[in-house]
Amino acid sequence: MQWSEAGAMKILTVVGARPNFMKAAPIIAAINAHNKHNERLVAGFAGRPEPQVETIQHILVHTGQHYDELMSGSFFNDLNLPKPDIHLGVGSGSHATQTAEILKKFEEVLLEKKPDIVVVVGDVNSTLACALVSSKISFDSDGSRPVIAHVEAGLRSFDRSMPEEVNRILTDHVSDLLFVTEESGLQNLRNEGIPADKIHFVGNTMIDSLLHFKEKAEASTILEKLGFLGQGRKNGEANSSTRYALLTLHRASNVDNRDVFLNIMTGLEELATDCPVVFPVHPRTQRRIQEFGFEFSLGKGTGKHGANEQGPGMIVTDPLGYLDFLCLMKHASLVVTDSGGIQEETTILGIPCVTVRENTERPVTVECGTNTIAGTKTDAIKDAIRRQLGGNRDNGVPKNWDGRAGERIIDILVRTHREKTSFRSVFIPHTEALEARYARP
Ligand code: UD1
């Protein structure tokens, strides 16, 4: 492993696909907060010898795994993410092609930038590819390389037919610091023999983003656009008068096989005759709907509050931005999904969730959240929807899902950097200073 000159610390963060953006945003915000805190600290020493502090130099790399405005661009605006410093532009392809393209292009970036730390998030192909390059790179004849930090480590579905499961396992085993979101992750990593001193239970950066942007999402006009705002707004909060459900499906195992996809959609028919079901459709799913010639019974604006309100049926839309989707989740009666992150977001929002998969790598969302695993069979989906709509679930908040995971991660990265360098005279903030740095406005 290598470290740049004392007092300066270079962190490179990788994003690539839609679910990466909201996981990386709080880490970048925590880096900015760290640097601002240090600036203020130094300014306070005017005229006296200044304390030596580490400034973090941050480099944001976008692999381009997702590249559309709807899958990528809009998320940078919504999440206040800086423009990537480097865009690899790899685009779509088979798993092998996409991974190989990232391997080749990211190696060049590492050799040029020589970061101290590479941060990868989640479980997409970009995560694995960049972790793998970082683990084998050699910056000099001593074989020095960056420290690899994996955010959202330890999750396991125990289903190796899922590409994400392979990505998770391999990324965890080449990483040096493993940042875990839930207790199952700690246990899984211990079971796989990963040394305890590499593992840190920091919480969930996706939930940091959700808590941070929850209020801002209320300004979204998506409820008006869909005709769900019969009663308008109350104290700035949307006051949706229409009961509706929200649906997302994009997993290859669910949408690439015509029969499986049809079973799932048939399982949703009853729900769609009861209330509108908003279905923002992922590009992969859009392609399959066309190929399979599926047609849905569409909502027609026939609700009891008049022509502007939606009646039952499927409302098919393009993929939605972060704030619009968050607003829709907050006000939904039910969410049906095959996404990993949405199981976590509905848990925090207290919205019943039906997961149309055979398993979950996020068991805390079932144990203490609002999630139920329905599988992909028609009748099981119908049953799960009825149960979730009928039941009154008392959901809890998973440990450490408190909006501060990004700060904990940066704190650990700074401390690790400090321990590894010979730079000992650095100013170490005492507890109150750390608390002040982390205080939310
Ligand atoms: C990827 C992740 C998955 C994550 C999902 C979120 C892997 C293995 N999978 O799956 O874990 O849940 O992102 O969306 O990394 N496409 C576009 N525009 C884009 C991006 C993709 O049209 O901006 C289309 C392309 O036709 C592409 C297909 O979507 O072939 C699939 O994209 P890809 O990145 O291969 O995987 P996802 O299914 O999105």
Side-chain angles (χ1 to χ4, degrees):
M1 284 175 242
Q2 73 115 37
W3 298 99
S4 61
E5 68 193 83
M9 178 184 177
K10 212 190 263 188
I11 298 181
L12 184 155
T13 304
V14 177
V15 291
R18 184 169 63 175
N20 290 161
F21 306 130
M22 57 294 265
K23 292 172 191 168
I27 296 167
I28 297 169
I31 290 174
N32 291 337
H34 169 93
N35 284 343
K36 278 209 180 92
H37 173 79
N38 281 348
E39 273 170 28
R40 278 199 301 270
L41 203 67
V42 170
F45 277 74
R48 288 176 288 153
E50 287 174 4
Q52 286 181 297
V53 292
E54 301 108 327
T55 297
I56 301 176
Q57 187 192 339
H58 185 244
I59 303 165
L60 181 60
V61 175
H62 190 332
T63 64
Q65 175 173 347
H66 285 175
Y67 43 86
D68 281 354
E69 176 59 23
L70 295 177
M71 297 296 287
S72 172
S74 77
F75 287 79
F76 279 74
N77 291 333
D78 280 1
L79 294 158
N80 301 328
L81 277 166
K83 200 167 162 286
D85 299 290
I86 298 166
H87 201 293
L88 303 183
V90 298
S92 299
S94 67
H95 286 279
T97 305
Q98 195 172 58
T99 309
E101 280 300 309
I102 302 170
L103 291 176
K104 279 197 295 187
K105 294 189 168 172
F106 190 63
E107 182 179 47
E108 289 170 21
V109 172
L110 278 192
L111 288 173
E112 188 200 327
K113 299 292 179 189
K114 295 191 171 56
D116 297 302
I117 299 176
V118 171
V119 177
V120 293
V121 300
D123 57 11
V124 302
N125 287 341
S126 303
T127 313
L128 170 62
C130 294
L132 191 56
V133 178
S134 308
S135 73
K136 293 185 173 184
I137 202 94
S138 184
F139 289 155
D140 52 33
S141 55
D142 292 341
S144 63
R145 64 163 178 84
V147 166
I148 306 163
H150 183 205
V151 175
E152 198 188 84
L155 298 181
R156 297 290 182 269
S157 65
F158 303 101
D159 172 4
R160 291 211 185 183
S161 68
M162 251 182 123
E164 293 82 358
E165 181 75 351
V166 176
N167 292 345
R168 287 179 205 120
I169 296 168
L170 297 181
T171 303
D172 283 344
H173 283 261
V174 297
S175 292
D176 305 296
L177 291 169
L178 295 103
F179 294 120
V180 173
T181 54
E182 62 168 85
E183 309 234 9
S184 74
L186 289 176
Q187 198 53 50
N188 294 332
L189 294 174
R190 278 185 209 126
N191 293 347
E192 290 173 21
I194 294 190
D197 61 351
K198 288 182 164 190
I199 307 170
H200 302 270
F201 184 10
V202 292
N204 190 326
T205 60
M206 183 174 237
I207 299 305
D208 290 6
S209 279
L210 181 142
L211 296 174
H212 188 76
F213 288 102
K214 210 168 118 186
E215 293 314 311
K216 195 174 173 198
E218 283 302 310
S220 156
T221 54
I222 189 71
L223 295 172
E224 278 99 334
K225 282 186 194 145
L226 293 172
F228 289 165
L229 260 197
Q231 307 300 314
R233 288 171 183 272
K234 212 174 170 182
N235 303 328
E237 284 261 316
N239 184 22
S240 173
S241 61
T242 309
R243 264 180 75 245
Y244 65 88
L246 184 57
L247 167 68
T248 79
L249 290 173
H250 75 281
R251 246 160 239 300
S253 57
N254 280 349
V255 301
D256 283 1
N257 179 305
R258 190 178 193 281
D259 293 339
V260 177
F261 195 177
L262 198 58
N263 283 343
I264 295 172
M265 293 312 287
T266 311
L268 291 158
E269 268 174 1
E270 196 174 276
L271 179 66
T273 54
D274 175 42
C275 68
V277 179
V278 186
F279 185 16
V281 190
H282 183 281
R284 168 197 290 281
T285 312
Q286 278 180 8
R287 222 173 39 219
R288 296 297 172 236
I289 289 172
Q290 277 168 6
E291 272 173 35
F292 299 150
F294 288 169
E295 279 174 21
F296 305 120
S297 149
L298 300 176
K300 293 185 182 65
T302 53
K304 62 182 170 5
H305 291 287
N308 288 332
E309 194 183 324
Q310 284 286 356
M314 200 65 80
I315 303 173
V316 177
T317 75
D318 278 331
L320 294 172
Y322 182 74
L323 295 173
D324 285 346
F325 192 79
L326 179 50
C327 179
L328 268 181
M329 261 194 303
K330 273 181 80 175
H331 295 279
S333 302
L334 178 78
V335 175
V336 181
T337 190
D338 62 3
S339 147
I342 292 172
Q343 298 171 47
E344 298 181 335
E345 291 171 329
T346 47
T347 281
I348 288 297
L349 294 170
I351 305 295
C353 178
V354 171
T355 297
V356 283
R357 283 175 45 191
E358 302 299 339
N359 50 52
T360 181
E361 61 287 336
R362 293 159 159 93
V364 76
T365 62
V366 177
E367 287 152 15
C368 116
T370 54
N371 187 23
T372 190
I373 307 300
T376 55
K377 303 272 186 313
T378 302
D379 287 342
I381 295 171
K382 283 184 183 168
D383 281 351
I385 289 173
R386 282 189 214 117
R387 265 186 286 116
Q388 285 287 63
L389 283 175
N392 240 345
R393 296 195 57 161
D394 227 3
N395 71 300
V397 175
K399 192 176 163 194
N400 284 345
W401 290 18
D402 58 0
R404 301 183 61 179
E407 296 158 5
R408 292 191 188 103
I409 288 168
I410 292 307
D411 195 31
I412 292 165
L413 294 183
V414 169
R415 281 166 193 274
T416 308
H417 181 245
R418 198 174 282 152
E419 278 161 20
K420 301 269 167 147
T421 52
S422 54
F423 186 58
R424 288 282 167 248
S425 58
V426 82
F427 181 86
I428 299 174
H430 55 72
T431 313
E432 290 103 287
L434 272 175
E435 284 300 319
R437 182 199 308 167
Y438 293 160
R440 296 244 163 210

PDB file of all heavy atoms in Angstrom, residues 17-19 65-68 71 92-93 95 98 123-125 163-164 167 250-251 282-284 287, ligand 1:
ATOM      1  N   ALA A  17     -22.983   3.077 -11.806  1.00  0.00           N
ATOM      2  CA  ALA A  17     -24.375   2.774 -12.139  1.00  0.00           C
ATOM      3  C   ALA A  17     -25.315   3.468 -11.155  1.00  0.00           C
ATOM      4  O   ALA A  17     -24.905   3.874 -10.069  1.00  0.00           O
ATOM      5  CB  ALA A  17     -24.589   1.265 -12.102  1.00  0.00           C
ATOM      6  N   ARG A  18     -26.582   3.565 -11.561  1.00  0.00           N
ATOM      7  CA  ARG A  18     -27.570   4.359 -10.807  1.00  0.00           C
ATOM      8  C   ARG A  18     -27.507   4.178  -9.284  1.00  0.00           C
ATOM      9  O   ARG A  18     -27.466   5.173  -8.561  1.00  0.00           O
ATOM     10  CB  ARG A  18     -28.969   4.042 -11.360  1.00  0.00           C
ATOM     11  CG  ARG A  18     -30.070   4.852 -10.733  1.00  0.00           C
ATOM     12  CD  ARG A  18     -31.382   4.703 -11.483  1.00  0.00           C
ATOM     13  NE  ARG A  18     -31.890   3.344 -11.479  1.00  0.00           N
ATOM     14  CZ  ARG A  18     -33.069   2.984 -11.995  1.00  0.00           C
ATOM     15  NH1 ARG A  18     -33.853   3.889 -12.553  1.00  0.00           N
ATOM     16  NH2 ARG A  18     -33.467   1.732 -11.969  1.00  0.00           N
ATOM     17  N   PRO A  19     -27.489   2.921  -8.764  1.00  0.00           N
ATOM     18  CA  PRO A  19     -27.516   2.813  -7.298  1.00  0.00           C
ATOM     19  C   PRO A  19     -26.223   3.256  -6.617  1.00  0.00           C
ATOM     20  O   PRO A  19     -26.171   3.319  -5.382  1.00  0.00           O
ATOM     21  CB  PRO A  19     -27.776   1.317  -7.060  1.00  0.00           C
ATOM     22  CG  PRO A  19     -27.372   0.637  -8.319  1.00  0.00           C
ATOM     23  CD  PRO A  19     -27.569   1.617  -9.426  1.00  0.00           C
ATOM     24  N   GLN A  65     -20.819   3.132 -16.751  1.00  0.00           N
ATOM     25  CA  GLN A  65     -21.655   1.926 -16.889  1.00  0.00           C
ATOM     26  C   GLN A  65     -23.092   2.347 -17.194  1.00  0.00           C
ATOM     27  O   GLN A  65     -23.741   1.788 -18.058  1.00  0.00           O
ATOM     28  CB  GLN A  65     -21.588   1.084 -15.603  1.00  0.00           C
ATOM     29  CG  GLN A  65     -22.520  -0.122 -15.637  1.00  0.00           C
ATOM     30  CD  GLN A  65     -22.363  -1.072 -14.444  1.00  0.00           C
ATOM     31  OE1 GLN A  65     -21.403  -0.989 -13.679  1.00  0.00           O
ATOM     32  NE2 GLN A  65     -23.299  -1.990 -14.312  1.00  0.00           N
ATOM     33  N   HIS A  66     -23.602   3.333 -16.451  1.00  0.00           N
ATOM     34  CA  HIS A  66     -24.859   3.982 -16.810  1.00  0.00           C
ATOM     35  C   HIS A  66     -24.524   5.359 -17.354  1.00  0.00           C
ATOM     36  O   HIS A  66     -23.649   6.041 -16.829  1.00  0.00           O
ATOM     37  CB  HIS A  66     -25.800   4.072 -15.606  1.00  0.00           C
ATOM     38  CG  HIS A  66     -26.425   2.744 -15.265  1.00  0.00           C
ATOM     39  ND1 HIS A  66     -27.214   2.547 -14.172  1.00  0.00           N
ATOM     40  CD2 HIS A  66     -26.361   1.535 -15.901  1.00  0.00           C
ATOM     41  CE1 HIS A  66     -27.630   1.281 -14.137  1.00  0.00           C
ATOM     42  NE2 HIS A  66     -27.116   0.648 -15.167  1.00  0.00           N
ATOM     43  N   TYR A  67     -25.212   5.762 -18.416  1.00  0.00           N
ATOM     44  CA  TYR A  67     -24.779   6.948 -19.163  1.00  0.00           C
ATOM     45  C   TYR A  67     -25.936   7.845 -19.578  1.00  0.00           C
ATOM     46  O   TYR A  67     -25.739   9.001 -19.900  1.00  0.00           O
ATOM     47  CB  TYR A  67     -24.020   6.503 -20.426  1.00  0.00           C
ATOM     48  CG  TYR A  67     -24.713   5.341 -21.121  1.00  0.00           C
ATOM     49  CD1 TYR A  67     -25.726   5.553 -22.036  1.00  0.00           C
ATOM     50  CD2 TYR A  67     -24.374   4.024 -20.796  1.00  0.00           C
ATOM     51  CE1 TYR A  67     -26.391   4.478 -22.616  1.00  0.00           C
ATOM     52  CE2 TYR A  67     -25.030   2.954 -21.388  1.00  0.00           C
ATOM     53  CZ  TYR A  67     -26.039   3.197 -22.298  1.00  0.00           C
ATOM     54  OH  TYR A  67     -26.693   2.142 -22.863  1.00  0.00           O
ATOM     55  N   ASP A  68     -27.186   7.331 -19.539  1.00  0.00           N
ATOM     56  CA  ASP A  68     -28.337   8.166 -19.931  1.00  0.00           C
ATOM     57  C   ASP A  68     -28.546   9.284 -18.932  1.00  0.00           C
ATOM     58  O   ASP A  68     -28.217   9.135 -17.752  1.00  0.00           O
ATOM     59  CB  ASP A  68     -29.632   7.331 -19.894  1.00  0.00           C
ATOM     60  CG  ASP A  68     -29.787   6.444 -21.109  1.00  0.00           C
ATOM     61  OD1 ASP A  68     -28.959   6.562 -22.025  1.00  0.00           O
ATOM     62  OD2 ASP A  68     -30.730   5.642 -21.121  1.00  0.00           O
ATOM     63  N   MET A  71     -30.665   7.742 -16.213  1.00  0.00           N
ATOM     64  CA  MET A  71     -30.032   6.721 -15.363  1.00  0.00           C
ATOM     65  C   MET A  71     -28.819   7.286 -14.617  1.00  0.00           C
ATOM     66  O   MET A  71     -28.312   6.662 -13.694  1.00  0.00           O
ATOM     67  CB  MET A  71     -29.571   5.527 -16.203  1.00  0.00           C
ATOM     68  CG  MET A  71     -30.677   4.786 -16.901  1.00  0.00           C
ATOM     69  SD  MET A  71     -31.808   4.012 -15.737  1.00  0.00           S
ATOM     70  CE  MET A  71     -30.812   2.654 -15.118  1.00  0.00           C
ATOM     71  N   SER A  92     -22.605   0.199 -22.182  1.00  0.00           N
ATOM     72  CA  SER A  92     -23.199  -1.117 -21.952  1.00  0.00           C
ATOM     73  C   SER A  92     -22.420  -2.216 -22.659  1.00  0.00           C
ATOM     74  O   SER A  92     -21.604  -1.943 -23.531  1.00  0.00           O
ATOM     75  CB  SER A  92     -24.640  -1.122 -22.450  1.00  0.00           C
ATOM     76  OG  SER A  92     -25.392  -0.158 -21.750  1.00  0.00           O
ATOM     77  N   GLY A  93     -22.724  -3.446 -22.279  1.00  0.00           N
ATOM     78  CA  GLY A  93     -22.092  -4.613 -22.907  1.00  0.00           C
ATOM     79  C   GLY A  93     -22.361  -5.823 -22.054  1.00  0.00           C
ATOM     80  O   GLY A  93     -23.033  -5.716 -21.013  1.00  0.00           O
ATOM     81  N   HIS A  95     -21.407  -8.769 -19.340  1.00  0.00           N
ATOM     82  CA  HIS A  95     -20.659  -8.607 -18.081  1.00  0.00           C
ATOM     83  C   HIS A  95     -19.160  -8.600 -18.368  1.00  0.00           C
ATOM     84  O   HIS A  95     -18.412  -7.781 -17.830  1.00  0.00           O
ATOM     85  CB  HIS A  95     -21.000  -9.734 -17.105  1.00  0.00           C
ATOM     86  CG  HIS A  95     -22.355  -9.576 -16.500  1.00  0.00           C
ATOM     87  ND1 HIS A  95     -22.610  -8.746 -15.442  1.00  0.00           N
ATOM     88  CD2 HIS A  95     -23.547 -10.121 -16.847  1.00  0.00           C
ATOM     89  CE1 HIS A  95     -23.894  -8.785 -15.143  1.00  0.00           C
ATOM     90  NE2 HIS A  95     -24.491  -9.612 -15.991  1.00  0.00           N
ATOM     91  N   GLN A  98     -18.078  -5.347 -20.349  1.00  0.00           N
ATOM     92  CA  GLN A  98     -18.167  -4.142 -19.512  1.00  0.00           C
ATOM     93  C   GLN A  98     -17.047  -4.147 -18.454  1.00  0.00           C
ATOM     94  O   GLN A  98     -16.338  -3.157 -18.254  1.00  0.00           O
ATOM     95  CB  GLN A  98     -19.529  -4.138 -18.829  1.00  0.00           C
ATOM     96  CG  GLN A  98     -19.947  -2.841 -18.222  1.00  0.00           C
ATOM     97  CD  GLN A  98     -21.399  -2.907 -17.756  1.00  0.00           C
ATOM     98  OE1 GLN A  98     -21.736  -3.762 -16.945  1.00  0.00           O
ATOM     99  NE2 GLN A  98     -22.231  -2.027 -18.264  1.00  0.00           N
ATOM    100  N   ASP A 123     -22.435  -3.071  -5.360  1.00  0.00           N
ATOM    101  CA  ASP A 123     -22.176  -4.417  -5.884  1.00  0.00           C
ATOM    102  C   ASP A 123     -22.283  -4.513  -7.403  1.00  0.00           C
ATOM    103  O   ASP A 123     -22.562  -5.570  -7.948  1.00  0.00           O
ATOM    104  CB  ASP A 123     -23.158  -5.407  -5.235  1.00  0.00           C
ATOM    105  CG  ASP A 123     -24.619  -5.017  -5.469  1.00  0.00           C
ATOM    106  OD1 ASP A 123     -24.879  -4.133  -6.292  1.00  0.00           O
ATOM    107  OD2 ASP A 123     -25.492  -5.607  -4.808  1.00  0.00           O
ATOM    108  N   VAL A 124     -22.085  -3.395  -8.096  1.00  0.00           N
ATOM    109  CA  VAL A 124     -22.250  -3.437  -9.558  1.00  0.00           C
ATOM    110  C   VAL A 124     -20.915  -3.802 -10.219  1.00  0.00           C
ATOM    111  O   VAL A 124     -19.882  -3.905  -9.551  1.00  0.00           O
ATOM    112  CB  VAL A 124     -22.814  -2.093 -10.094  1.00  0.00           C
ATOM    113  CG1 VAL A 124     -24.158  -1.770  -9.434  1.00  0.00           C
ATOM    114  CG2 VAL A 124     -21.840  -0.945  -9.907  1.00  0.00           C
ATOM    115  N   ASN A 125     -20.951  -4.000 -11.532  1.00  0.00           N
ATOM    116  CA  ASN A 125     -19.725  -4.414 -12.224  1.00  0.00           C
ATOM    117  C   ASN A 125     -18.595  -3.396 -12.040  1.00  0.00           C
ATOM    118  O   ASN A 125     -17.423  -3.774 -11.925  1.00  0.00           O
ATOM    119  CB  ASN A 125     -20.014  -4.611 -13.719  1.00  0.00           C
ATOM    120  CG  ASN A 125     -20.827  -5.871 -13.977  1.00  0.00           C
ATOM    121  OD1 ASN A 125     -20.884  -6.777 -13.135  1.00  0.00           O
ATOM    122  ND2 ASN A 125     -21.474  -5.946 -15.135  1.00  0.00           N
ATOM    123  N   PRO A 163     -25.400 -11.890 -10.519  1.00  0.00           N
ATOM    124  CA  PRO A 163     -24.086 -11.273 -10.791  1.00  0.00           C
ATOM    125  C   PRO A 163     -23.613 -10.403  -9.629  1.00  0.00           C
ATOM    126  O   PRO A 163     -22.425 -10.353  -9.323  1.00  0.00           O
ATOM    127  CB  PRO A 163     -24.331 -10.403 -12.033  1.00  0.00           C
ATOM    128  CG  PRO A 163     -25.695 -10.701 -12.516  1.00  0.00           C
ATOM    129  CD  PRO A 163     -26.403 -11.579 -11.545  1.00  0.00           C
ATOM    130  N   GLU A 164     -24.566  -9.743  -8.962  1.00  0.00           N
ATOM    131  CA  GLU A 164     -24.190  -8.855  -7.852  1.00  0.00           C
ATOM    132  C   GLU A 164     -23.585  -9.635  -6.687  1.00  0.00           C
ATOM    133  O   GLU A 164     -22.731  -9.114  -5.969  1.00  0.00           O
ATOM    134  CB  GLU A 164     -25.410  -8.065  -7.339  1.00  0.00           C
ATOM    135  CG  GLU A 164     -25.972  -7.051  -8.320  1.00  0.00           C
ATOM    136  CD  GLU A 164     -26.914  -7.652  -9.353  1.00  0.00           C
ATOM    137  OE1 GLU A 164     -27.117  -8.898  -9.345  1.00  0.00           O
ATOM    138  OE2 GLU A 164     -27.451  -6.896 -10.181  1.00  0.00           O
ATOM    139  N   ASN A 167     -20.043 -10.196  -7.482  1.00  0.00           N
ATOM    140  CA  ASN A 167     -19.347  -8.904  -7.315  1.00  0.00           C
ATOM    141  C   ASN A 167     -19.094  -8.604  -5.838  1.00  0.00           C
ATOM    142  O   ASN A 167     -18.018  -8.136  -5.458  1.00  0.00           O
ATOM    143  CB  ASN A 167     -20.160  -7.758  -7.936  1.00  0.00           C
ATOM    144  CG  ASN A 167     -20.232  -7.848  -9.450  1.00  0.00           C
ATOM    145  OD1 ASN A 167     -19.462  -8.581 -10.073  1.00  0.00           O
ATOM    146  ND2 ASN A 167     -21.152  -7.115 -10.053  1.00  0.00           N
ATOM    147  N   HIS A 250     -36.178  -4.711 -12.586  1.00  0.00           N
ATOM    148  CA  HIS A 250     -35.098  -4.596 -13.571  1.00  0.00           C
ATOM    149  C   HIS A 250     -34.135  -5.777 -13.548  1.00  0.00           C
ATOM    150  O   HIS A 250     -33.270  -5.891 -14.410  1.00  0.00           O
ATOM    151  CB  HIS A 250     -34.306  -3.311 -13.342  1.00  0.00           C
ATOM    152  CG  HIS A 250     -33.400  -3.390 -12.145  1.00  0.00           C
ATOM    153  ND1 HIS A 250     -33.860  -3.237 -10.864  1.00  0.00           N
ATOM    154  CD2 HIS A 250     -32.070  -3.644 -12.041  1.00  0.00           C
ATOM    155  CE1 HIS A 250     -32.853  -3.364 -10.019  1.00  0.00           C
ATOM    156  NE2 HIS A 250     -31.756  -3.621 -10.708  1.00  0.00           N
ATOM    157  N   ARG A 251     -34.283  -6.677 -12.567  1.00  0.00           N
ATOM    158  CA  ARG A 251     -33.319  -7.762 -12.468  1.00  0.00           C
ATOM    159  C   ARG A 251     -33.424  -8.691 -13.672  1.00  0.00           C
ATOM    160  O   ARG A 251     -34.528  -9.086 -14.066  1.00  0.00           O
ATOM    161  CB  ARG A 251     -33.571  -8.570 -11.198  1.00  0.00           C
ATOM    162  CG  ARG A 251     -32.450  -8.416 -10.264  1.00  0.00           C
ATOM    163  CD  ARG A 251     -32.622  -8.711  -8.876  1.00  0.00           C
ATOM    164  NE  ARG A 251     -32.318  -7.507  -8.142  1.00  0.00           N
ATOM    165  CZ  ARG A 251     -31.153  -6.873  -8.170  1.00  0.00           C
ATOM    166  NH1 ARG A 251     -30.136  -7.357  -8.863  1.00  0.00           N
ATOM    167  NH2 ARG A 251     -30.981  -5.769  -7.491  1.00  0.00           N
ATOM    168  N   HIS A 282     -37.137   0.678 -16.117  1.00  0.00           N
ATOM    169  CA  HIS A 282     -35.694   0.612 -16.384  1.00  0.00           C
ATOM    170  C   HIS A 282     -35.468   0.274 -17.872  1.00  0.00           C
ATOM    171  O   HIS A 282     -36.264  -0.461 -18.458  1.00  0.00           O
ATOM    172  CB  HIS A 282     -35.138  -0.493 -15.474  1.00  0.00           C
ATOM    173  CG  HIS A 282     -33.659  -0.693 -15.541  1.00  0.00           C
ATOM    174  ND1 HIS A 282     -33.058  -1.383 -16.560  1.00  0.00           N
ATOM    175  CD2 HIS A 282     -32.654  -0.329 -14.714  1.00  0.00           C
ATOM    176  CE1 HIS A 282     -31.752  -1.415 -16.352  1.00  0.00           C
ATOM    177  NE2 HIS A 282     -31.491  -0.782 -15.232  1.00  0.00           N
ATOM    178  N   PRO A 283     -34.389   0.786 -18.492  1.00  0.00           N
ATOM    179  CA  PRO A 283     -34.170   0.542 -19.934  1.00  0.00           C
ATOM    180  C   PRO A 283     -34.168  -0.947 -20.318  1.00  0.00           C
ATOM    181  O   PRO A 283     -34.718  -1.332 -21.362  1.00  0.00           O
ATOM    182  CB  PRO A 283     -32.792   1.149 -20.199  1.00  0.00           C
ATOM    183  CG  PRO A 283     -32.530   2.082 -19.089  1.00  0.00           C
ATOM    184  CD  PRO A 283     -33.360   1.667 -17.918  1.00  0.00           C
ATOM    185  N   ARG A 284     -33.560  -1.790 -19.483  1.00  0.00           N
ATOM    186  CA  ARG A 284     -33.547  -3.238 -19.786  1.00  0.00           C
ATOM    187  C   ARG A 284     -34.989  -3.760 -19.858  1.00  0.00           C
ATOM    188  O   ARG A 284     -35.352  -4.502 -20.770  1.00  0.00           O
ATOM    189  CB  ARG A 284     -32.796  -3.978 -18.674  1.00  0.00           C
ATOM    190  CG  ARG A 284     -32.943  -5.486 -18.701  1.00  0.00           C
ATOM    191  CD  ARG A 284     -32.536  -6.092 -17.369  1.00  0.00           C
ATOM    192  NE  ARG A 284     -31.106  -6.007 -17.129  1.00  0.00           N
ATOM    193  CZ  ARG A 284     -30.197  -6.826 -17.661  1.00  0.00           C
ATOM    194  NH1 ARG A 284     -30.580  -7.802 -18.459  1.00  0.00           N
ATOM    195  NH2 ARG A 284     -28.926  -6.695 -17.385  1.00  0.00           N
ATOM    196  N   ARG A 287     -36.947  -2.652 -22.901  1.00  0.00           N
ATOM    197  CA  ARG A 287     -36.605  -3.447 -24.087  1.00  0.00           C
ATOM    198  C   ARG A 287     -37.356  -4.771 -24.084  1.00  0.00           C
ATOM    199  O   ARG A 287     -37.877  -5.219 -25.101  1.00  0.00           O
ATOM    200  CB  ARG A 287     -35.096  -3.687 -24.100  1.00  0.00           C
ATOM    201  CG  ARG A 287     -34.508  -3.529 -25.468  1.00  0.00           C
ATOM    202  CD  ARG A 287     -33.017  -3.586 -25.508  1.00  0.00           C
ATOM    203  NE  ARG A 287     -32.436  -4.574 -24.623  1.00  0.00           N
ATOM    204  CZ  ARG A 287     -31.324  -4.379 -23.925  1.00  0.00           C
ATOM    205  NH1 ARG A 287     -30.712  -3.215 -23.994  1.00  0.00           N
ATOM    206  NH2 ARG A 287     -30.828  -5.314 -23.169  1.00  0.00           N
TER     207      ARG A 287
HETATM  208  C1  UD1 B   1     -26.932  -2.627 -13.051  1.00  0.00           C
HETATM  209  C2  UD1 B   1     -26.369  -3.444 -11.884  1.00  0.00           C
HETATM  210  C3  UD1 B   1     -27.472  -3.772 -10.898  1.00  0.00           C
HETATM  211  C4  UD1 B   1     -28.209  -2.520 -10.479  1.00  0.00           C
HETATM  212  C5  UD1 B   1     -28.711  -1.816 -11.729  1.00  0.00           C
HETATM  213  C6  UD1 B   1     -29.472  -0.554 -11.444  1.00  0.00           C
HETATM  214  C7  UD1 B   1     -24.499  -4.931 -12.463  1.00  0.00           C
HETATM  215  C8  UD1 B   1     -24.103  -6.342 -12.628  1.00  0.00           C
HETATM  216  N1  UD1 B   1     -25.817  -4.709 -12.345  1.00  0.00           N
HETATM  217  O1  UD1 B   1     -27.841  -3.450 -13.748  1.00  0.00           O
HETATM  218  O2  UD1 B   1     -26.913  -4.381  -9.766  1.00  0.00           O
HETATM  219  O3  UD1 B   1     -29.279  -2.884  -9.639  1.00  0.00           O
HETATM  220  O4  UD1 B   1     -27.577  -1.488 -12.542  1.00  0.00           O
HETATM  221  O5  UD1 B   1     -29.982  -0.063 -12.653  1.00  0.00           O
HETATM  222  O6  UD1 B   1     -23.659  -4.069 -12.413  1.00  0.00           O
HETATM  223  N2  UD1 B   1     -29.001   1.001 -20.269  1.00  0.00           N
HETATM  224  C9  UD1 B   1     -29.438   2.161 -20.849  1.00  0.00           C
HETATM  225  N3  UD1 B   1     -28.970   3.341 -20.352  1.00  0.00           N
HETATM  226  C10 UD1 B   1     -28.098   3.397 -19.319  1.00  0.00           C
HETATM  227  C11 UD1 B   1     -27.633   2.206 -18.761  1.00  0.00           C
HETATM  228  C12 UD1 B   1     -28.094   1.001 -19.216  1.00  0.00           C
HETATM  229  O7  UD1 B   1     -30.234   2.151 -21.776  1.00  0.00           O
HETATM  230  O8  UD1 B   1     -27.708   4.523 -18.922  1.00  0.00           O
HETATM  231  C13 UD1 B   1     -29.526  -0.284 -20.762  1.00  0.00           C
HETATM  232  C14 UD1 B   1     -28.611  -0.934 -21.753  1.00  0.00           C
HETATM  233  O9  UD1 B   1     -29.382  -1.473 -22.762  1.00  0.00           O
HETATM  234  C15 UD1 B   1     -27.940  -2.026 -20.962  1.00  0.00           C
HETATM  235  C16 UD1 B   1     -29.019  -2.386 -19.931  1.00  0.00           C
HETATM  236  O10 UD1 B   1     -29.693  -1.148 -19.682  1.00  0.00           O
HETATM  237  O11 UD1 B   1     -27.567  -3.093 -21.734  1.00  0.00           O
HETATM  238  C17 UD1 B   1     -28.495  -2.936 -18.658  1.00  0.00           C
HETATM  239  O12 UD1 B   1     -27.512  -2.055 -18.088  1.00  0.00           O
HETATM  240  P1  UD1 B   1     -26.323  -2.689 -17.202  1.00  0.00           P
HETATM  241  O13 UD1 B   1     -25.466  -1.635 -16.617  1.00  0.00           O
HETATM  242  O14 UD1 B   1     -25.651  -3.751 -17.971  1.00  0.00           O
HETATM  243  O15 UD1 B   1     -27.077  -3.421 -16.030  1.00  0.00           O
HETATM  244  P2  UD1 B   1     -28.377  -3.069 -15.195  1.00  0.00           P
HETATM  245  O16 UD1 B   1     -29.420  -4.050 -15.559  1.00  0.00           O
HETATM  246  O17 UD1 B   1     -28.749  -1.612 -15.245  1.00  0.00           O
END
